[in-house]
Amino acid sequence: MPRALPRRALAVAVTVLATVLPLAPAARATAPAPRPAAHHPTEPRISAAYALPGDRVYPEGIAADPRTGTLYAGSYADGTVYRMTPGHRVAEVLLPAGTDGRATANGLKVDGAGRLWVTDSTAGVSVYDPRTRRLLARFDVAGPGARFVNDLAIAPDGSAYLTDSLRGVVYRVTPRQLARAQAHGGHAALTPRFDLNAAMEPHDPGTYTLNGIVADPTGRHLLTVDSTGGDLYRLEPSTGRISRVALHGGDLRLADGLELRHGTLWAAHNTDNAISRWRVAPDGHAARQERRFTDEALQVPTTLIRRHGTLYVVRSQFDKGGPLGDNGTPRTPFTVAAVTGI
């Protein structure tokens, strides 16, 4: 979640809502009776699953090791990475603040070999062995200029794809590139695989755009979101093709982290304090919103993962004296919430 995006995008959302005026009397007289609100047998429930020690954590990313059930979360404020294990409600510090010079910990993912990938928005991505806490490799954005390496996904072939919210590109690190970096000092440059600047709607310079990204389990495509425009994009790694996904029943404005399981896509809408659920077509070219849930108890959700029917959602509290720069005091401890029923 970028520093500037939520405030600007939230202002846009408020403006849009303000234009939805009540119908004029004549229109009300002829309008059909409204349909009853959809009934959901179970309303979503939110509870604290894990506590993150520290009074200025402002967590952003979350990842799961599917082999062990271990979860990881990262601090946007100082780069601390936390480890959460089943049966323990309080997380432990895996990588202290500033480890290997990282200033932040944004997106996190665990690959098929158990390696932990941690993005630093100001630089690139670091790859760790979480068992030994050893840095295996680091990939940095090449050249001068603004960058914001945000989130990442691991494709079935082991390649990592990373969004850059300021440059509007998606980087790729293949298993071969990772092995080469490990064999030659552990450092290498990030190389773009997709440039979405021509595909996205025009934005002002400096606007934060690309955010969450997920990989389809078939390996044929990726999905990534433009948080400001509210659009979802389909990326084909084999061809480099970029196309806009047809969204029905809603949009993805303020969408941050994404989670894709068995054709269902969940999105965390940060400053909207919402989670939406979508049904994605098998080919990834269309998606329909099935449900949207809003609750202040989500505390500015940034990313989320799904494990055994439960969404684990990072409650960033960015609006409480954190990266958004707003006044306020965060509620401590910072937590990762368990959300069921959506």
PDB file of all heavy atoms in Angstrom, residues 16 30 58 61 75 83 87 109 121 140 156-157 160 164 186 200 213 216 228 241 250 285 287 290 297 311 328 339:
ATOM      1  N   VAL A  16     -17.317  10.761  -5.831  1.00  0.00           N
ATOM      2  CA  VAL A  16     -18.266   9.962  -6.598  1.00  0.00           C
ATOM      3  C   VAL A  16     -19.530   9.720  -5.793  1.00  0.00           C
ATOM      4  O   VAL A  16     -20.652   9.862  -6.289  1.00  0.00           O
ATOM      5  CB  VAL A  16     -17.630   8.624  -7.009  1.00  0.00           C
ATOM      6  CG1 VAL A  16     -18.661   7.706  -7.615  1.00  0.00           C
ATOM      7  CG2 VAL A  16     -16.499   8.877  -8.008  1.00  0.00           C
ATOM      8  N   THR A  30     -42.452   7.005 -10.387  1.00  0.00           N
ATOM      9  CA  THR A  30     -42.535   6.026 -11.473  1.00  0.00           C
ATOM     10  C   THR A  30     -41.509   4.916 -11.365  1.00  0.00           C
ATOM     11  O   THR A  30     -41.557   3.963 -12.123  1.00  0.00           O
ATOM     12  CB  THR A  30     -42.344   6.741 -12.821  1.00  0.00           C
ATOM     13  OG1 THR A  30     -41.067   7.387 -12.812  1.00  0.00           O
ATOM     14  CG2 THR A  30     -43.444   7.787 -13.036  1.00  0.00           C
ATOM     15  N   TYR A  58       2.696  -0.934  12.144  1.00  0.00           N
ATOM     16  CA  TYR A  58       2.046  -0.607  10.876  1.00  0.00           C
ATOM     17  C   TYR A  58       2.328  -1.699   9.839  1.00  0.00           C
ATOM     18  O   TYR A  58       3.039  -1.483   8.845  1.00  0.00           O
ATOM     19  CB  TYR A  58       2.488   0.769  10.370  1.00  0.00           C
ATOM     20  CG  TYR A  58       2.076   1.882  11.310  1.00  0.00           C
ATOM     21  CD1 TYR A  58       3.018   2.576  12.075  1.00  0.00           C
ATOM     22  CD2 TYR A  58       0.726   2.209  11.464  1.00  0.00           C
ATOM     23  CE1 TYR A  58       2.627   3.575  12.960  1.00  0.00           C
ATOM     24  CE2 TYR A  58       0.337   3.218  12.350  1.00  0.00           C
ATOM     25  CZ  TYR A  58       1.289   3.891  13.089  1.00  0.00           C
ATOM     26  OH  TYR A  58       0.897   4.868  13.958  1.00  0.00           O
ATOM     27  N   GLY A  61       2.339  -6.498   4.642  1.00  0.00           N
ATOM     28  CA  GLY A  61       2.234  -7.733   3.883  1.00  0.00           C
ATOM     29  C   GLY A  61       2.026  -8.958   4.747  1.00  0.00           C
ATOM     30  O   GLY A  61       2.298  -8.948   5.959  1.00  0.00           O
ATOM     31  N   SER A  75       6.509  -5.321   8.621  1.00  0.00           N
ATOM     32  CA  SER A  75       6.252  -3.954   9.073  1.00  0.00           C
ATOM     33  C   SER A  75       6.629  -2.964   7.983  1.00  0.00           C
ATOM     34  O   SER A  75       7.784  -2.929   7.551  1.00  0.00           O
ATOM     35  CB  SER A  75       7.050  -3.644  10.341  1.00  0.00           C
ATOM     36  OG  SER A  75       7.049  -2.250  10.613  1.00  0.00           O
ATOM     37  N   ARG A  83       7.094 -13.840  12.408  1.00  0.00           N
ATOM     38  CA  ARG A  83       6.690 -15.215  12.118  1.00  0.00           C
ATOM     39  C   ARG A  83       5.588 -15.618  13.080  1.00  0.00           C
ATOM     40  O   ARG A  83       5.703 -15.420  14.298  1.00  0.00           O
ATOM     41  CB  ARG A  83       7.883 -16.161  12.239  1.00  0.00           C
ATOM     42  CG  ARG A  83       7.510 -17.635  11.991  1.00  0.00           C
ATOM     43  CD  ARG A  83       8.737 -18.480  11.717  1.00  0.00           C
ATOM     44  NE  ARG A  83       9.758 -18.348  12.742  1.00  0.00           N
ATOM     45  CZ  ARG A  83      11.004 -18.786  12.613  1.00  0.00           C
ATOM     46  NH1 ARG A  83      11.384 -19.382  11.481  1.00  0.00           N
ATOM     47  NH2 ARG A  83      11.883 -18.640  13.588  1.00  0.00           N
ATOM     48  N   GLY A  87      -0.947 -22.262  17.054  1.00  0.00           N
ATOM     49  CA  GLY A  87      -0.929 -22.509  18.486  1.00  0.00           C
ATOM     50  C   GLY A  87      -0.302 -21.401  19.302  1.00  0.00           C
ATOM     51  O   GLY A  87      -0.309 -21.464  20.536  1.00  0.00           O
ATOM     52  N   LYS A 109       5.936 -13.312   0.215  1.00  0.00           N
ATOM     53  CA  LYS A 109       5.470 -14.576  -0.334  1.00  0.00           C
ATOM     54  C   LYS A 109       6.467 -15.671   0.019  1.00  0.00           C
ATOM     55  O   LYS A 109       7.663 -15.428   0.152  1.00  0.00           O
ATOM     56  CB  LYS A 109       5.314 -14.511  -1.857  1.00  0.00           C
ATOM     57  CG  LYS A 109       4.077 -13.795  -2.352  1.00  0.00           C
ATOM     58  CD  LYS A 109       2.798 -14.526  -1.976  1.00  0.00           C
ATOM     59  CE  LYS A 109       1.561 -13.822  -2.538  1.00  0.00           C
ATOM     60  NZ  LYS A 109       1.340 -12.496  -1.944  1.00  0.00           N
ATOM     61  N   SER A 121       9.886  -1.406  -0.627  1.00  0.00           N
ATOM     62  CA  SER A 121       9.335  -0.491  -1.625  1.00  0.00           C
ATOM     63  C   SER A 121      10.368   0.462  -2.189  1.00  0.00           C
ATOM     64  O   SER A 121      10.275   0.894  -3.334  1.00  0.00           O
ATOM     65  CB  SER A 121       8.180   0.301  -1.014  1.00  0.00           C
ATOM     66  OG  SER A 121       8.629   1.086   0.078  1.00  0.00           O
ATOM     67  N   ASP A 140      17.461  -5.544  -7.030  1.00  0.00           N
ATOM     68  CA  ASP A 140      17.146  -4.130  -6.868  1.00  0.00           C
ATOM     69  C   ASP A 140      16.676  -3.513  -8.173  1.00  0.00           C
ATOM     70  O   ASP A 140      17.059  -3.952  -9.270  1.00  0.00           O
ATOM     71  CB  ASP A 140      18.377  -3.365  -6.372  1.00  0.00           C
ATOM     72  CG  ASP A 140      18.771  -3.771  -4.955  1.00  0.00           C
ATOM     73  OD1 ASP A 140      17.859  -4.000  -4.136  1.00  0.00           O
ATOM     74  OD2 ASP A 140      19.981  -3.875  -4.679  1.00  0.00           O
ATOM     75  N   PRO A 156       3.398 -20.824 -10.860  1.00  0.00           N
ATOM     76  CA  PRO A 156       3.656 -22.264 -10.722  1.00  0.00           C
ATOM     77  C   PRO A 156       5.050 -22.701 -11.157  1.00  0.00           C
ATOM     78  O   PRO A 156       5.573 -23.685 -10.636  1.00  0.00           O
ATOM     79  CB  PRO A 156       2.571 -22.890 -11.613  1.00  0.00           C
ATOM     80  CG  PRO A 156       1.453 -21.908 -11.585  1.00  0.00           C
ATOM     81  CD  PRO A 156       2.114 -20.566 -11.560  1.00  0.00           C
ATOM     82  N   ASP A 157       5.679 -21.979 -12.088  1.00  0.00           N
ATOM     83  CA  ASP A 157       7.021 -22.361 -12.521  1.00  0.00           C
ATOM     84  C   ASP A 157       8.109 -21.837 -11.588  1.00  0.00           C
ATOM     85  O   ASP A 157       9.299 -22.033 -11.852  1.00  0.00           O
ATOM     86  CB  ASP A 157       7.281 -21.893 -13.951  1.00  0.00           C
ATOM     87  CG  ASP A 157       7.418 -20.377 -14.069  1.00  0.00           C
ATOM     88  OD1 ASP A 157       7.151 -19.668 -13.072  1.00  0.00           O
ATOM     89  OD2 ASP A 157       7.779 -19.903 -15.173  1.00  0.00           O
ATOM     90  N   ALA A 160       8.927 -15.237  -9.751  1.00  0.00           N
ATOM     91  CA  ALA A 160       8.304 -14.216  -8.929  1.00  0.00           C
ATOM     92  C   ALA A 160       7.980 -13.008  -9.798  1.00  0.00           C
ATOM     93  O   ALA A 160       8.798 -12.590 -10.632  1.00  0.00           O
ATOM     94  CB  ALA A 160       9.229 -13.803  -7.790  1.00  0.00           C
ATOM     95  N   ASP A 164       5.372  -2.529  -9.447  1.00  0.00           N
ATOM     96  CA  ASP A 164       5.961  -1.250  -9.077  1.00  0.00           C
ATOM     97  C   ASP A 164       4.869  -0.200  -9.238  1.00  0.00           C
ATOM     98  O   ASP A 164       4.451   0.111 -10.362  1.00  0.00           O
ATOM     99  CB  ASP A 164       7.156  -0.917  -9.981  1.00  0.00           C
ATOM    100  CG  ASP A 164       7.962   0.283  -9.475  1.00  0.00           C
ATOM    101  OD1 ASP A 164       7.331   1.263  -9.026  1.00  0.00           O
ATOM    102  OD2 ASP A 164       9.202   0.245  -9.542  1.00  0.00           O
ATOM    103  N   GLY A 186      25.065 -12.880  -4.940  1.00  0.00           N
ATOM    104  CA  GLY A 186      23.764 -12.691  -4.307  1.00  0.00           C
ATOM    105  C   GLY A 186      23.013 -11.448  -4.709  1.00  0.00           C
ATOM    106  O   GLY A 186      21.909 -11.217  -4.211  1.00  0.00           O
ATOM    107  N   MET A 200      -3.200   1.120 -18.872  1.00  0.00           N
ATOM    108  CA  MET A 200      -3.997   1.740 -17.819  1.00  0.00           C
ATOM    109  C   MET A 200      -4.563   3.073 -18.275  1.00  0.00           C
ATOM    110  O   MET A 200      -4.014   3.727 -19.165  1.00  0.00           O
ATOM    111  CB  MET A 200      -3.149   1.948 -16.554  1.00  0.00           C
ATOM    112  CG  MET A 200      -2.746   0.667 -15.860  1.00  0.00           C
ATOM    113  SD  MET A 200      -1.903   0.969 -14.278  1.00  0.00           S
ATOM    114  CE  MET A 200      -0.344   1.679 -14.840  1.00  0.00           C
ATOM    115  N   ILE A 213      -1.099  -8.513  -6.747  1.00  0.00           N
ATOM    116  CA  ILE A 213      -0.931  -9.372  -7.911  1.00  0.00           C
ATOM    117  C   ILE A 213      -1.049 -10.824  -7.470  1.00  0.00           C
ATOM    118  O   ILE A 213      -0.613 -11.186  -6.363  1.00  0.00           O
ATOM    119  CB  ILE A 213       0.429  -9.105  -8.604  1.00  0.00           C
ATOM    120  CG1 ILE A 213       0.560  -9.909  -9.898  1.00  0.00           C
ATOM    121  CG2 ILE A 213       1.604  -9.361  -7.661  1.00  0.00           C
ATOM    122  CD1 ILE A 213       1.749  -9.480 -10.764  1.00  0.00           C
ATOM    123  N   ASP A 216      -2.505 -17.284 -11.545  1.00  0.00           N
ATOM    124  CA  ASP A 216      -3.449 -18.372 -11.764  1.00  0.00           C
ATOM    125  C   ASP A 216      -2.718 -19.702 -11.613  1.00  0.00           C
ATOM    126  O   ASP A 216      -1.581 -19.845 -12.080  1.00  0.00           O
ATOM    127  CB  ASP A 216      -4.068 -18.264 -13.158  1.00  0.00           C
ATOM    128  CG  ASP A 216      -5.123 -19.322 -13.402  1.00  0.00           C
ATOM    129  OD1 ASP A 216      -6.265 -19.127 -12.960  1.00  0.00           O
ATOM    130  OD2 ASP A 216      -4.788 -20.351 -14.037  1.00  0.00           O
ATOM    131  N   THR A 228      -5.883   2.885  -8.152  1.00  0.00           N
ATOM    132  CA  THR A 228      -6.468   4.195  -8.401  1.00  0.00           C
ATOM    133  C   THR A 228      -7.560   4.119  -9.458  1.00  0.00           C
ATOM    134  O   THR A 228      -8.647   4.673  -9.295  1.00  0.00           O
ATOM    135  CB  THR A 228      -5.384   5.197  -8.826  1.00  0.00           C
ATOM    136  OG1 THR A 228      -4.447   5.338  -7.757  1.00  0.00           O
ATOM    137  CG2 THR A 228      -5.983   6.551  -9.135  1.00  0.00           C
ATOM    138  N   ARG A 241       1.362 -10.489 -23.331  1.00  0.00           N
ATOM    139  CA  ARG A 241       0.108  -9.801 -23.626  1.00  0.00           C
ATOM    140  C   ARG A 241      -0.521  -9.242 -22.352  1.00  0.00           C
ATOM    141  O   ARG A 241      -0.529  -9.907 -21.316  1.00  0.00           O
ATOM    142  CB  ARG A 241      -0.862 -10.750 -24.317  1.00  0.00           C
ATOM    143  CG  ARG A 241      -2.194 -10.100 -24.699  1.00  0.00           C
ATOM    144  CD  ARG A 241      -3.145 -11.096 -25.330  1.00  0.00           C
ATOM    145  NE  ARG A 241      -4.433 -10.488 -25.631  1.00  0.00           N
ATOM    146  CZ  ARG A 241      -5.501 -11.154 -26.045  1.00  0.00           C
ATOM    147  NH1 ARG A 241      -5.423 -12.472 -26.211  1.00  0.00           N
ATOM    148  NH2 ARG A 241      -6.632 -10.527 -26.288  1.00  0.00           N
ATOM    149  N   GLY A 250     -19.223  -4.254  -9.864  1.00  0.00           N
ATOM    150  CA  GLY A 250     -18.411  -3.453  -8.957  1.00  0.00           C
ATOM    151  C   GLY A 250     -17.078  -3.109  -9.596  1.00  0.00           C
ATOM    152  O   GLY A 250     -16.843  -3.385 -10.781  1.00  0.00           O
ATOM    153  N   HIS A 285     -10.512 -13.571 -18.225  1.00  0.00           N
ATOM    154  CA  HIS A 285     -10.865 -12.367 -18.976  1.00  0.00           C
ATOM    155  C   HIS A 285     -12.044 -11.600 -18.371  1.00  0.00           C
ATOM    156  O   HIS A 285     -12.326 -10.480 -18.811  1.00  0.00           O
ATOM    157  CB  HIS A 285     -11.185 -12.721 -20.429  1.00  0.00           C
ATOM    158  CG  HIS A 285      -9.967 -13.034 -21.244  1.00  0.00           C
ATOM    159  ND1 HIS A 285      -9.041 -12.073 -21.601  1.00  0.00           N
ATOM    160  CD2 HIS A 285      -9.513 -14.210 -21.763  1.00  0.00           C
ATOM    161  CE1 HIS A 285      -8.078 -12.634 -22.313  1.00  0.00           C
ATOM    162  NE2 HIS A 285      -8.328 -13.926 -22.423  1.00  0.00           N
ATOM    163  N   ALA A 287     -14.622 -11.055 -14.536  1.00  0.00           N
ATOM    164  CA  ALA A 287     -14.847 -11.348 -13.118  1.00  0.00           C
ATOM    165  C   ALA A 287     -16.119 -10.647 -12.671  1.00  0.00           C
ATOM    166  O   ALA A 287     -16.407  -9.530 -13.113  1.00  0.00           O
ATOM    167  CB  ALA A 287     -13.662 -10.897 -12.271  1.00  0.00           C
ATOM    168  N   GLU A 290     -19.257 -10.948  -6.226  1.00  0.00           N
ATOM    169  CA  GLU A 290     -20.288 -11.722  -5.551  1.00  0.00           C
ATOM    170  C   GLU A 290     -20.695 -11.092  -4.223  1.00  0.00           C
ATOM    171  O   GLU A 290     -21.839 -11.224  -3.794  1.00  0.00           O
ATOM    172  CB  GLU A 290     -19.788 -13.147  -5.295  1.00  0.00           C
ATOM    173  CG  GLU A 290     -19.525 -13.939  -6.552  1.00  0.00           C
ATOM    174  CD  GLU A 290     -19.046 -15.348  -6.241  1.00  0.00           C
ATOM    175  OE1 GLU A 290     -18.325 -15.534  -5.227  1.00  0.00           O
ATOM    176  OE2 GLU A 290     -19.393 -16.276  -7.002  1.00  0.00           O
ATOM    177  N   ALA A 297     -13.834  -2.425  11.823  1.00  0.00           N
ATOM    178  CA  ALA A 297     -12.952  -3.311  12.593  1.00  0.00           C
ATOM    179  C   ALA A 297     -11.825  -3.886  11.749  1.00  0.00           C
ATOM    180  O   ALA A 297     -10.872  -4.458  12.293  1.00  0.00           O
ATOM    181  CB  ALA A 297     -13.765  -4.448  13.219  1.00  0.00           C
ATOM    182  N   LEU A 311      -9.905 -16.146   6.096  1.00  0.00           N
ATOM    183  CA  LEU A 311      -9.034 -15.108   5.569  1.00  0.00           C
ATOM    184  C   LEU A 311      -8.236 -14.513   6.723  1.00  0.00           C
ATOM    185  O   LEU A 311      -8.811 -14.111   7.741  1.00  0.00           O
ATOM    186  CB  LEU A 311      -9.847 -13.999   4.902  1.00  0.00           C
ATOM    187  CG  LEU A 311     -10.477 -14.295   3.548  1.00  0.00           C
ATOM    188  CD1 LEU A 311     -11.342 -13.117   3.113  1.00  0.00           C
ATOM    189  CD2 LEU A 311      -9.431 -14.608   2.493  1.00  0.00           C
ATOM    190  N   GLY A 328      -3.659  10.685  15.102  1.00  0.00           N
ATOM    191  CA  GLY A 328      -4.290   9.544  15.737  1.00  0.00           C
ATOM    192  C   GLY A 328      -3.277   8.660  16.416  1.00  0.00           C
ATOM    193  O   GLY A 328      -2.075   8.758  16.172  1.00  0.00           O
ATOM    194  N   VAL A 339     -10.907 -13.565   9.452  1.00  0.00           N
ATOM    195  CA  VAL A 339     -12.221 -13.192   8.940  1.00  0.00           C
ATOM    196  C   VAL A 339     -12.856 -14.426   8.314  1.00  0.00           C
ATOM    197  O   VAL A 339     -12.282 -15.044   7.412  1.00  0.00           O
ATOM    198  CB  VAL A 339     -12.129 -12.066   7.902  1.00  0.00           C
ATOM    199  CG1 VAL A 339     -13.530 -11.682   7.400  1.00  0.00           C
ATOM    200  CG2 VAL A 339     -11.444 -10.833   8.506  1.00  0.00           C
TER     201      VAL A 339
END
